[in-house]
Amino acid sequence: MARTDERFREAFNALLDICTTMELGGQLAPELALSERLDVSRTVIRSSLERLKAEGIIAWEGGRNKTLLRRPLPMDRLAVQADQLSARELEHQFLDWVLRFDVAPGTALNVAELARQFRVTPHMLQEFLASLSRFGLVQRRNKGGWVLLGFTREFAVELSEFRLMLELNAVGHLVTLPDNHPIWAQLDDLEARHHKLAQEIDHRFHDFSLLDEAFHATIGSVVQNRFAAEFQKLIALIFHYHFQWDKTNERNRNFAAIGEHLQIIAALKARDRAATLQAAELHLRTSKLTLLESLRDHAIS
């Protein structure tokens, strides 16, 4: 599939997504605004609008008014490349990119370039960045595009305290689960992975971020809470991926965290609620202090 045709198909499907959020009779945004939002040329936008008109989805005579006539149907969508990442995979790719390349606050995010790198449509990346913008981690620039932001000390303290409440509740619930619950096999696997990484820490310390995320996600999975789930991207970005953290002591910090995780797992497997809560709180308090120390070192208010 030619790149231009691929861009057209991606833009057309993105416009379909926009149309599904509109009321019948509503007006699509101007071509320039759509071009900036989807990060494609106005030529691609015009071609996509022509297709929407031909399919009877909008009324458009080439002027400013682009009126929604009917809701898009699944059959209206155009096929695109099959090897694109899922939304979850995109999140992992983006967070790993932040970690591996130590992306600094204030970095401009080139949507077209990152979309190619992550093998997603520009619209999909735009939607992902918009989800992060709700937490103040990225911001849309006035003239289009996005910029990666930092966060304040107060922001970090509030998130740390909220995380503490969520995870203490989760481990307190987990320790009461019956022996036949699948969580115990998952903890056995996590325990083995922690020991292996500890043995290879000198050349694999970066890999702790993924293991850290898996550990905390597994702990949190025993409590289904729609409100807590909304904060998982944020918690992963800041804590599991060491966003803005000082990388100079990363190896030792990660090695110490592995030990704290293993203490929590041991207390859970012993069904010792008091020891579990104590180990979990120690780990989360340490994580908070490390983050705040990093913010202080980077002179972030």
Side-chain angles (χ1 to χ4, degrees), residues 25-247:
Q27 298 291 320
L28 279 166
E31 292 175 39
L32 179 58
L34 292 173
S35 173
E36 292 177 347
R37 177 173 177 177
L38 303 184
D39 197 35
V40 295
S41 70
R42 294 181 69 177
T43 300
V44 171
I45 291 296
R46 291 192 196 100
S47 297
S48 300
L49 292 172
E50 289 286 359
R51 176 71 181 246
L52 290 175
K53 175 186 174 183
E55 296 295 332
I57 298 173
I58 65 171
W60 183 54
E61 299 301 330
R64 297 179 62 87
N65 294 330
K66 298 174 284 294
T67 308
L68 183 66
L69 298 180
R70 71 169 176 87
R71 300 271 184 173
L73 302 171
M75 64 184 67
D76 292 318
R77 301 187 72 84
L78 299 177
V80 293
Q81 61 186 39
D83 62 341
Q84 288 189 1
L85 297 181
S86 66
R88 181 62 175 165
E89 289 169 333
L90 170 59
E91 180 180 318
H92 276 285
Q93 289 271 17
F94 181 84
L95 299 179
D96 194 57
W97 174 68
V98 170
L99 167 68
R100 300 283 177 175
F101 295 96
D102 202 7
V103 184
T107 298
L109 303 177
N110 186 316
V111 171
E113 180 180 321
L114 289 176
R116 287 192 294 271
Q117 178 178 333
F118 298 144
R119 295 183 293 110
V120 297
T121 65
H123 175 69
M124 184 176 180
L125 184 60
Q126 294 272 21
E127 292 298 312
F128 172 70
L129 293 175
S131 73
L132 292 183
S133 71
R134 296 198 303 272
F135 304 112
L137 294 176
V138 298
Q139 183 179 65
R140 187 185 291 276
R141 295 185 295 184
N142 293 334
K143 295 185 178 180
W146 296 85
V147 62
L148 192 68
L149 299 179
F151 55 96
T152 65
R153 179 182 175 87
E154 290 73 21
F155 186 106
V157 168
E158 291 175 16
L159 183 64
S160 297
E161 294 301 323
F162 183 65
R163 183 195 190 198
L164 180 65
M165 290 188 293
L166 291 180
E167 297 211 16
L168 290 183
N169 176 62
V171 296
H173 176 70
L174 195 160
V175 77
T176 67
L177 295 176
D179 292 346
N180 62 352
H181 195 284
I183 191 65
W184 300 112
Q186 296 175 41
L187 286 179
D188 286 340
D189 176 66
L190 282 170
E191 185 176 36
R193 290 169 62 187
H194 276 76
H195 282 300
K196 181 173 176 57
L197 183 56
Q199 294 170 358
E200 303 170 355
I201 193 67
D202 287 336
H203 62 279
R204 288 186 56 211
F205 61 89
H206 273 312
D207 292 337
F208 175 71
S209 293
L210 289 175
L211 185 57
D212 187 40
E213 182 183 15
F215 173 79
H216 288 281
T218 300
I219 297 295
S221 69
V222 300
V223 178
Q224 298 299 317
N225 186 303
R226 72 188 70 180
F227 303 105
E230 180 69 11
F231 289 86
Q232 290 309 308
K233 289 188 184 72
L234 186 61
I235 290 172
L237 183 59
I238 294 178
F239 290 100
H240 307 328
Y241 284 83
H242 305 177
F243 181 60
Q244 282 191 348
W245 286 26
D246 183 0
K247 302 296 190 288

